[in-house]
Amino acid sequence: MRTKAQTHSGTVSMYKVPVCVYNGDTIPHITLRTIYVYPELHFKNKRQRKYYNKLVRDVKKTLPLAKEVNRAVIETYEYLMTLPDEKARERHIKKVEKGLKEQYTPRMKKLTFSQGKLLIKLVNRECNQSSYQLVKAFMGPFKAGFYQTFAALFGASLKKEYHPEDEDKLTERVVVLVENGQL
């Protein structure tokens, strides 16, 4: 079935949509995305509003990176399972590490400190593993310890976990709304 919509210029646009037939009537069948409704936020002061706006900005910047990391982890893991031996896997991991550094280092350098900490949590959210666990699994405990120590020098932790029901409740709300295109 085609539906027609008249525009101001007089042209006609057509869209193909699925239909269902009910008692001889043809009814367009359109699946709408889920809309999330949260209680309205009430801020006690300008500082809280500013924090929320900054969180929205930071989530919009770091969430795509966390999703890319998740895709890279899945692709790398799946490919590693096809390799014949440990030596081939190690060679591939070195190539992946080099490629990731080239691809992500310039983008990571542009992140603020708070965006970096948020990215660590969002990677945990997307991958169901801490950044430390991911580095350890792919690059070994020595490099994982090195990166953890380096992060600790700046007051961050690769072991930081994401808790959507507790301390990260507001972040989860923002992430869900951003993912759904509502923010």
Side-chain angles (χ1 to χ4, degrees), residues 40-144:
E40 185 179 342
L41 289 174
H42 297 285
F43 302 104
K44 294 178 184 174
N45 52 43
K46 287 182 183 180
R47 197 171 109 209
Q48 282 185 341
R49 166 147 320 266
K50 191 175 177 180
Y51 171 80
Y52 177 76
N53 291 338
K54 183 178 178 299
L55 178 63
V56 170
R57 182 195 72 210
D58 291 350
V59 166
K60 285 182 177 182
K61 189 168 186 176
T62 57
L63 186 60
L65 281 169
K67 290 187 178 293
E68 286 178 39
V69 167
N70 187 36
R71 277 192 300 276
V73 166
I74 291 169
E75 288 171 10
T76 302
Y77 179 76
E78 287 175 352
Y79 185 74
L80 285 175
M81 294 299 106
T82 66
L83 296 175
D85 58 12
E86 192 62 35
K87 196 170 187 176
R89 289 184 193 111
E90 286 177 17
R91 277 196 309 270
H92 182 69
I93 286 176
K94 286 186 188 228
K95 286 180 191 174
V96 168
E97 182 182 1
K98 183 180 178 193
L100 290 175
K101 281 183 180 177
E102 288 173 4
Q103 182 179 359
Y104 289 104
T105 298
R107 291 167 71 184
M108 296 295 180
K109 284 184 176 181
K110 292 180 182 177
L111 296 179
T112 65
F113 178 70
S114 61
Q115 288 169 346
K117 288 175 79 170
L118 179 61
L119 179 60
I120 289 169
K121 284 189 169 203
L122 292 180
V123 164
N124 181 255
R125 178 187 187 270
E126 293 299 314
C127 299
N128 284 330
Q129 295 183 62
S130 71
S131 298
Y132 178 81
Q133 290 168 321
L134 291 172
V135 173
K136 185 177 175 185
F138 286 102
M139 298 179 196
F142 179 76
K143 281 194 177 182

Side-chain angles (χ1 to χ4, degrees), residues 155-172:
S157 173
L158 297 179
K159 296 178 181 180
K160 196 77 171 159
E161 292 184 0
Y162 187 76
H163 301 285
E165 301 298 322
D166 298 323
E167 65 190 60
D168 297 313
K169 196 172 190 173
L170 185 60
T171 302
E172 180 66 12

